[in-house]
């Protein structure tokens, strides 16, 4: 199974040949997401995190960011998105959204394409100020999707369908990740199992890296998903196993419960209080390096900036919930 990845970064300006000017912007790197959510669930399938407008039928608050164009002028606009119901030939395009540049509408997007691709605006946008503000405005509240935005003064300068090399060039990403470690234990996944593994190892004297691809800890037991813990421990042959969970488990009265009941801040404070744990939120692990049949390193990238890190260590534990690291390592 071959997995392709694209990597996000805030902004990178590229002066193209023949005097063309361009600006590439990753939606997930917007400084203010508003009501849009940074979705990392489908990185393995579509190659990148992206912003999702999940409003249950009510348009979410605008996402906003500041950018710097290379120069004023008329720009052609491309947005990487899709009409998420088109695959079923459904009518309506419930994922429509608008892009605004300094308050002026640059186009409506999310109403074309059965698969992820670049949708071009019908008209150019006039950029009057080099320093400008971009706004993503959800129109429906039904899962609008925006991955990236590309402005160019050259109408023939459309972004390619095969984006990996092009995107890395646009973002100025280096060829090698920054090394982190070595650690005694590298834990991939910050849900209940990952937190328990990291905390218990750290208290046993291990130097631990805890790598989590969301902005909060807890996984299904976080405010993002809100599956209650229920506290069914202290039973069976080993009644003391699992007690560590009580340190960070929610006390929700029902499932899904309220945002406050899941204590995201408490979970993070508990982990950061351990001197032997280094916490890496917003880091998606996607590659393993093997030597003599064992993992020696795991690569992860920051889902907001695209910066890559390589975590080296003696032992690794897959707490992703979907076994990605084990699969990549060809474990039994």
């Amino acid at each position: 199974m071959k997995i392709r990845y694209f990597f996000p970064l805030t902004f990178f300006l590229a002066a193209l040949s023949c005097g063309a000017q361009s600006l590439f912007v990753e939606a997930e790197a917007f400084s203010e997401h508003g009501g849009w959510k940074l979705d990392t669930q489908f990185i393995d399938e579509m190659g990148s995190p992206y912003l999702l407008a999940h409003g249950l039928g009510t348009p979410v608050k605008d996402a906003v960011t500041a950018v710097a164009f290379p120069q004023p002028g008329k720009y052609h606009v491309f947005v990487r998105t899709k009409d998420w119901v088109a695959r079923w030939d459904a009518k309506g395009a419930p994922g429509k959204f608008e892009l605004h540049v300094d308050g002026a509408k640059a186009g409506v997007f999310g109403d074309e394409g059965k698969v992820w691709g670049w949708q071009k605006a019908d008209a150019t946008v006039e950029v009057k100020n080099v320093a400008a503000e971009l706004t993503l405005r959800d129109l429906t509240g039904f899962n609008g999707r925006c991955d990236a935005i590309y402005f160019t003064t050259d109408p023939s300068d459309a972004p390619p369908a095969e984006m990996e090399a092009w995107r890395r060039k646009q973002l100025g990403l280096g060829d090698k990740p920054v090394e982190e470690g070595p650690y005694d234990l590298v834990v991939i996944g910050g849900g209940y199992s990952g937190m328990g593994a990291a905390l218990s190892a750290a208290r046993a004297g291990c130097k631990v890296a805890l790598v989590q691809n969301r902005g909060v800890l807890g996984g299904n037991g976080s405010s993002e998903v809100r599956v209650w813990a229920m506290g069914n421990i202290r039973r069976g042959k080993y009644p003391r196993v699992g007690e560590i969970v009580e340190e960070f488990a929610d006390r929700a009265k029902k499932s899904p419960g309220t945002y406050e009941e899941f204590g995201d801040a408490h979970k993070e404070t508990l982990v950061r209080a351990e001197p032997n744990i280094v916490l890496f939120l917003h880091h998606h692990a996607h590659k393993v390096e093997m030597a003599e049949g064992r993992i020696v390193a795991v690569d992860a990238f920051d889902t907001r900036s695209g910066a890559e890190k390589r975590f080296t260590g003696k032992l690794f534990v897959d707490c992703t919930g979907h076994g990605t690291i084990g699969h990549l390592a060809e474990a039994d």
Side-chain angles (χ1 to χ4, degrees), residues 4-316:
R4 296 177 64 85
Y5 290 89
F6 303 133
F7 305 93
L9 196 61
T10 47
F11 321 109
F12 181 80
L13 307 181
L16 301 179
S17 60
C18 302
Q21 301 294 317
S22 65
L23 170 67
F24 181 65
V25 182
E26 287 281 15
E28 51 266 37
F30 268 44
S31 58
E32 298 177 29
H33 289 177
W36 295 69
K37 302 298 182 184
L38 177 59
D39 193 352
T40 61
Q41 294 182 86
F42 302 103
I43 293 176
D44 296 351
E45 290 83 1
M46 61 78 65
S48 174
Y50 58 92
L51 288 188
L52 177 71
H54 183 53
L56 295 175
T58 301
V60 304
K61 185 179 178 182
D62 294 349
V64 180
T65 199
V67 298
F69 282 87
Q71 65 183 37
K74 291 185 178 180
Y75 285 81
H76 300 268
V77 184
F78 298 85
V79 173
R80 190 166 190 258
T81 182
K82 70 174 181 176
D83 176 1
W84 68 271
V85 300
R87 61 183 294 189
W88 300 290
D89 296 321
K91 298 179 180 180
K96 291 189 297 184
F97 61 92
E98 294 176 348
L99 171 66
H100 292 242
V101 180
D102 277 344
K105 186 170 74 173
V108 177
F109 304 92
D111 56 356
E112 292 181 11
K114 292 184 178 182
V115 298
W116 284 94
W118 290 100
Q119 182 176 348
K120 186 179 181 182
D122 294 332
T124 58
V125 61
E126 181 73 30
V127 174
K128 298 180 180 179
N129 302 306
V130 171
E133 183 178 82
L134 302 185
T135 301
L136 292 177
R137 180 157 298 162
D138 176 30
L139 297 178
T140 68
F142 277 117
N143 298 328
R145 291 158 162 83
C146 183
D147 173 39
I149 305 163
Y150 187 61
F151 298 90
T152 177
T153 57
D154 182 356
S156 65
D157 179 33
E162 292 294 327
M163 292 177 54
E164 183 173 352
W166 179 87
R167 197 168 196 164
R168 290 184 68 85
K169 183 178 179 181
Q170 290 289 319
L171 299 175
L173 293 175
D175 295 330
K176 296 182 179 180
V178 175
E179 293 220 2
E180 289 283 345
Y183 293 92
D184 296 311
L185 179 70
V186 179
V187 180
I188 309 298
Y192 274 34
S193 61
M195 290 182 66
L199 288 166
S200 58
R203 292 169 184 175
C206 295
K207 182 182 179 182
V208 180
L210 176 55
V211 183
Q212 163 73 326
N213 70 355
R214 303 297 302 167
V216 297
L217 294 167
N220 285 341
S222 71
S223 67
E224 293 186 326
V225 187
R226 305 186 194 180
V227 177
W228 61 352
M230 297 184 69
N232 290 332
I233 62 173
R234 295 197 178 93
R235 57 183 59 203
K237 188 175 181 180
Y238 303 99
R240 301 299 301 276
V241 172
E243 284 186 342
I244 198 169
V245 171
E246 288 204 329
E247 296 185 39
F248 51 80
D250 63 85
R251 300 291 185 268
K253 298 179 177 62
K254 62 179 181 179
S255 190
T258 65
Y259 173 92
E260 292 78 12
E261 286 178 308
F262 285 84
D264 294 342
H266 169 68
K267 291 180 175 67
E268 184 172 340
T269 299
L270 183 68
V271 168
R272 292 194 185 278
E274 292 291 336
N276 283 341
I277 298 178
V278 183
L279 176 62
F280 297 88
L281 296 174
H282 296 289
H283 278 76
H284 181 80
H286 64 95
K287 181 181 178 182
V288 303
E289 181 180 339
M290 306 290 293
E292 299 180 352
R294 60 183 294 270
I295 301 175
V296 294
V298 170
D299 288 1
F301 65 87
D302 190 317
T303 58
R304 304 156 302 173
S305 71
E308 281 205 85
K309 292 183 174 66
R310 171 161 294 173
F311 296 90
T312 58
K314 299 175 182 177
L315 296 171
F316 297 80

